[in-house]
Amino acid sequence: MAANRSFEIGTGLFIVLGFAALLFLATQTTNMAGFRAADTYELKARFTNIGQLKERAPVKLAGVTIGTVRSISLDGTALDAVVHVDVDSQFSELPEDSSLSILTSGLLGDQFLAIRPGGSPEFLVDGDEFLLTESSLQLEELIGKFMVGGDGGGERGN
Amino acid sequence: MTDPAAANPGSRPPPAVAIRKLTTQLGSKRIFDGIDLEVPRGSVTAIMGPSGTGKTTLLRHLTGQLAFDSGRVTVLGEDIGQLHHEPLYRLRRRMGMLFQHGALLTDLTVFDNVAFPLRENTDLPEPLIRTLVLLKLQSVGLRGAAGLMPAELSGGMARRVALARAIALDPELMLYDEPFVGLDPIAVAAVVELIITLNRTLGVTSLVVAHEIEHLRRVADRLVVLADGGIIADGPFDQVQADPSPMVQQFLRGLSDGPVPFHYPAAPLTDELGIGGAT
Amino acid sequence: MTALKDLFSSLLDFIQRLGAMGSFLMRILRVLPGSLRRFDMHLRQLWFIGAMSLTIIIISGLFVGLVLGLQFYSALNQFGASGALGTLTALSLYRELSPVVAALLFSGRAGTAITAEIGLMRSTQQIEAMEMMAVDPIRHVVAPRFLAATIALPLLCVVFSALAIMGAHWSAVLWLGLDNGTYWSSMVGSVDLVDDLLAGVFKALVFGVLVALIAAYQGYHAKPTGEGVAYATTRTVIHSAIAILAFDFVLTAFMM
Ligand SMILES: Nc1ncnc2c1ncn2[C@@H]1O[C@H](COP(=O)(O)OP(=O)(O)O)[C@@H](O)[C@H]1O
Ligand SMILES: [Mg+2]
């Protein structure tokens, strides 16, 4: 049954190849490459407008992804959006006065959160809140500002 | 057996095959128009008839592969019309069929082809299967070909392997569909011998469909001639060959024209060619 | 009036054919668990149906990726949005191109082989011979091919995607100079494992069932002549293509 054996090996290789391809794609090209609960700590931030920010959007520091958006909710009394983010525990030394802004990758790309580090010797710990935030820049408002000549966009917080 | 027609007078055992008022319509063609046929156990019956009369169709009715329109077909005591799935398969394990072209499974060796029905239908241990297969191959003279693939066999060898496979489960009833076609005289002699041996030594009931009357005369003791949707002659060879009916005579003597016309029905040739007219 | 009648009768034909296929599928599914005891038959078919289709899948995947890299780069660059190339490539591949193109190629490579093989067995009376040996040909011939095709297509679809991702990387990053980090990170940022990648694999699974069913049905019911088998093979390709595209629409509509 030598022929049978080589069929089995060949078929086995085919299945392994398929799953290897799946593993490659899952870990290199999807959000599975991001972060999972095991080794993260949670921070939160309030925004007056989150724009198109979605759950699982990356959180970047100096362009490097160090975390993801876990959830987005609306605070019913303060009437602003509360964003919870998971940050890799490896980066546990974010200064307390760091700021968080919603940026867009490219002109039309997806939105993500960018951390701008502050200078405080104290660090943010699990459950802390970013005090300085900058909401999403709305394209319509920008255009409106240009057209009306400065002050068409209405008030924006912070 | 409650059917009074099937209960035989005297103490003869019930027949291997009993056909009553069988009618079959395939497409627009009426293949059988109420035929009756009984095949006693242990007999060898030859079936002849012009091509396209439905000899293969008749065998397919017996194996339950093709449904008929009305009538009753009893094979080895089972009413074929009532059988489905598992009971039908159980009955088929007691029958063997030699197909017109052998029908060996092309992706299996000769050995595995003969072993196939044993492996699929029994739980015999592999060494025993090996012994059985080699014995069956020995009986058709092809034990040496066990390792060959079907594509490497000549027509005669393929037919003999198919025969070894058909008898692998020791059937009670064997059906042969044109077993002599395309074989050289030596292979024909081998197949003739096998049919005879199976019948004489193991008592296998056989139905042999063929055109070669001289071979059939050697293996069978009864000749049935099918034509035009019915049985036109039935009896011992000598009696059938002496039958005065012109249709039987035309067929047995191989005359090209007679009651079965040489010409397919058509308008007169002169009309169609536009010549002649009123001469 | 007659046109309406023709339409009605061909609609009836179509529904009848659908019903016949449905009951054929039921017959396969009924015997499938029993046929699993002969696992060697399934492995063998997985080899012939799956592994033997790898070459065409790999080559096509690579070229589709190369072309996507070139096309998307030149299109996106006009808007200064070439940073989205990775996202666009991955999403269009995972959600649509890989399952559909792999399935179409698969129906041409493996579907036709299944039809021709079963049709040939029918025309050389091998199917009848099995029935006579009290072996259900659905269980022994059709079920292993059906299962193998159903397993093989999702695997082939993933291989296709992987090669296409590498192809696009080749043309966009290595030739046209897109930033390597941007290419990969744009995918990580917006491609979801379940909603995009696995949803596409699920599509491929459905297409695998469709192609396997159509190919086996056509072969099993082929007219037992050379011409009949040739005709059945052609029909396998045509019916598969229509079924794949129609089901793609339905699945996409449901999954969005
Ligand atoms: N499935 C079928 N549908 C319609 N006609 C059939 C079918 N099978 C056989 N026939 C026709 O039935 C007739 C008898 O065929 P068959 O039993 O093969 O004849 P033969 O006596 O030569 O073996 C032929 O005319 C054949 O064309
Ligand atoms: Mg015939």
Side-chain angles (χ1 to χ4, degrees):
Chain A
M1 293 276 124
N4 224 351
R5 201 172 151 70
S6 64
F7 270 127
E8 282 167 15
I9 293 175
T11 311
L13 283 178
F14 168 61
I15 295 173
V16 168
L17 178 70
F19 278 96
L22 185 63
L23 197 69
F24 162 71
L25 295 180
T27 57
Q28 300 301 307
T29 72
T30 72
N31 51 6
M32 214 186 121
F35 301 86
R36 266 146 304 145
D39 48 356
T40 59
Y41 64 103
E42 190 185 321
L43 298 174
K44 61 183 176 187
R46 291 170 179 273
F47 296 95
T48 48
N49 190 337
I50 56 158
Q52 269 73 53
L53 188 72
K54 293 191 204 71
E55 288 180 12
R56 287 196 301 266
V59 177
K60 299 184 182 190
L61 177 68
V64 179
T65 304
I66 62 164
T68 54
V69 174
R70 164 195 283 226
S71 65
I72 298 169
S73 56
L74 187 71
D75 181 334
T77 48
L79 295 180
D80 49 16
V82 182
V83 176
H84 293 260
V85 300
D86 287 327
V87 179
D88 193 343
S89 317
Q90 230 181 304
F91 309 102
S92 60
E93 304 191 345
L94 299 176
E96 204 178 32
D97 57 347
S98 299
S99 71
L100 194 61
S101 24
I102 299 177
L103 299 182
T104 308
S105 50
L107 191 56
L108 305 165
D110 282 331
Q111 291 188 308
F112 65 95
L113 291 175
I115 298 173
R116 202 167 295 139
S120 167
E122 301 287 315
F123 301 128
L124 289 166
V125 296
D126 191 50
D128 276 1
E129 183 174 337
F130 286 95
L131 294 176
L132 296 170
T133 63
E134 189 180 342
S135 282
S136 160
L137 215 55
Q138 297 296 86
L139 203 56
E140 310 89 300
E141 292 179 7
L142 267 182
I143 293 169
K145 267 184 198 164
F146 277 122
M147 305 249 292
V148 186
D151 194 29
E155 285 139 60
R156 314 201 52 224
N158 310 60
Chain B
M1 283 290 184
T2 47
D3 186 357
N8 287 290
S11 59
R12 278 194 296 150
V17 174
I19 296 171
R20 298 262 172 279
K21 297 197 171 58
L22 172 70
T23 61
T24 303
Q25 175 111 15
L26 286 180
S28 59
K29 196 175 170 190
R30 192 147 200 103
I31 309 285
F32 299 122
D33 208 354
I35 64 168
D36 293 293
L37 181 68
E38 202 162 285
V39 178
R41 275 184 196 260
S43 68
V44 180
T45 304
I47 298 176
M48 294 179 73
S51 301
T53 27
K55 304 179 295 293
T56 302
T57 304
L58 182 65
L59 297 186
R60 283 161 59 78
H61 285 327
L62 297 183
T63 62
Q65 283 171 310
L66 189 66
F68 41 87
D69 293 313
S70 70
R72 182 182 163 113
V73 175
T74 313
V75 178
L76 300 175
E78 307 273 354
D79 186 347
I80 283 281
Q82 306 296 321
L83 292 186
H84 297 286
H85 304 298
E86 200 39 51
L88 182 58
Y89 276 154
R90 226 177 298 136
L91 175 62
R92 283 181 188 161
R93 282 178 206 133
R94 299 162 60 197
M95 313 164 66
M97 174 142 172
L98 185 63
F99 286 90
Q100 219 161 334
H101 301 288
L104 295 178
L105 304 180
T106 40
D107 57 343
L108 299 180
T109 62
V110 165
F111 182 96
D112 289 334
N113 260 286
V114 181
F116 186 82
L118 293 166
R119 287 185 180 142
E120 295 296 327
N121 289 310
T122 69
D123 292 321
L124 298 178
E126 197 57 30
L128 188 54
I129 287 183
R130 197 182 119 82
T131 311
L132 285 173
V133 170
L134 291 181
L135 284 176
K136 299 294 176 192
L137 281 174
Q138 174 79 7
S139 69
V140 297
L142 289 174
R143 187 164 48 84
L148 298 183
M149 295 304 287
E152 299 171 278
L153 303 176
S154 69
M157 287 161 83
R159 197 80 52 89
R160 280 148 72 194
V161 173
L163 189 51
R165 183 181 68 177
I167 61 175
L169 289 171
D170 295 322
E172 297 163 49
L173 173 66
M174 271 299 295
L175 309 173
Y176 301 87
D177 195 0
E178 317 224 352
F180 309 119
V181 170
L183 297 190
D184 61 73
I186 302 174
V188 166
V191 173
V192 165
E193 281 308 317
L194 283 165
I195 297 176
I196 294 173
T197 314
L198 279 175
N199 178 246
R200 303 258 162 86
T201 61
L202 301 172
V204 178
T205 311
S206 307
L207 274 173
V208 189
V209 168
H211 294 295
E212 300 81 350
I213 193 162
E214 69 280 14
H215 302 323
L216 288 176
R217 184 185 267 287
R218 291 187 55 201
V219 298
D221 26 50
R222 174 189 178 196
L223 175 60
V224 174
V225 182
L226 286 178
D228 275 353
I231 293 173
I232 57 167
D234 180 0
F237 273 74
D238 293 332
Q239 184 192 317
V240 171
Q241 280 184 298
D243 193 307
S245 144
M247 200 128 112
V248 176
Q249 284 308 314
Q250 184 203 352
F251 183 69
L252 293 183
R253 301 239 198 99
L255 305 176
S256 68
D257 209 358
V260 180
F262 171 66
H263 290 289
Y264 196 81
L269 180 66
T270 47
D271 288 1
E272 200 150 351
L273 296 178
I275 50 173
T279 30
Chain C
M1 209 48 218
T2 47
L4 204 68
K5 223 159 139 190
D6 278 359
L7 189 73
F8 185 69
S9 84
S10 60
L11 189 72
L12 222 59
D13 260 15
F14 175 72
I15 291 173
Q16 184 197 342
R17 193 111 28 91
L18 229 58
M21 287 226 179
S23 72
F24 191 64
L25 180 63
M26 286 303 137
R27 279 172 78 187
I28 298 175
L29 294 181
R30 218 176 19 233
V31 297
L32 204 55
S35 81
L36 282 177
R37 273 183 303 153
R38 297 288 313 280
F39 201 64
D40 56 317
M41 296 190 310
H42 296 265
L43 277 187
R44 223 178 132 84
Q45 288 307 325
L46 195 54
W47 170 256
F48 282 119
I49 288 169
M52 295 305 229
S53 305
L54 264 181
T55 320
I56 186 166
I57 289 290
I58 287 177
I59 294 174
S60 312
L62 196 61
F63 277 110
V64 166
L66 286 167
V67 169
L68 285 187
L70 295 178
Q71 291 282 17
F72 284 163
Y73 189 86
S74 69
L76 292 173
N77 221 11
Q78 291 177 22
F79 309 104
S82 61
L85 186 137
T87 309
L88 201 52
T89 307
L91 287 184
S92 49
L93 278 172
Y94 298 168
R95 289 183 177 179
E96 288 297 331
L97 283 176
S98 297
V100 170
V101 176
L104 291 175
L105 292 171
F106 184 73
S107 75
R109 169 65 184 77
T112 52
I114 293 174
T115 304
E117 235 180 344
I118 298 180
L120 204 67
M121 293 184 81
R122 163 73 70 197
S123 69
T124 54
Q125 294 187 304
Q126 293 182 53
I127 301 275
E128 278 179 63
M130 277 189 191
E131 286 175 348
M132 269 317 293
M133 290 184 280
V135 172
D136 182 1
I138 298 276
R139 203 186 96 173
H140 201 269
V141 175
V142 175
R145 287 168 173 78
F146 178 83
L147 188 67
T150 307
I151 295 173
L153 190 50
L155 292 176
L156 292 169
C157 164
V158 175
V159 172
F160 185 96
S161 293
L163 266 295
I165 289 288
M166 292 199 258
H169 178 260
W170 203 339
S171 57
V173 176
L174 302 184
W175 293 347
L176 298 175
L178 180 73
D179 176 57
N180 186 40
T182 309
Y183 180 72
W184 296 109
S185 68
S186 72
M187 291 188 225
V188 173
S190 39
V191 178
D192 189 73
L193 174 67
V194 177
D195 291 347
D196 300 319
L197 183 59
L198 294 185
V201 175
F202 174 73
K203 271 188 179 178
L205 184 80
V206 174
F207 297 161
V209 171
L210 285 176
V211 174
L213 178 64
I214 290 170
Y217 180 88
Q218 291 296 347
Y220 201 76
H221 296 91
K223 275 229 180 71
T225 59
E227 197 192 13
V229 175
Y231 197 58
T233 311
T234 311
R235 260 190 319 227
T236 291
V237 175
I238 295 171
H239 290 189
S240 295
I242 294 172
I244 289 166
L245 296 173
F247 268 77
D248 184 48
F249 171 71
V250 174
L251 288 175
T252 307
F254 268 108
M255 294 194 306
M256 291 289 259

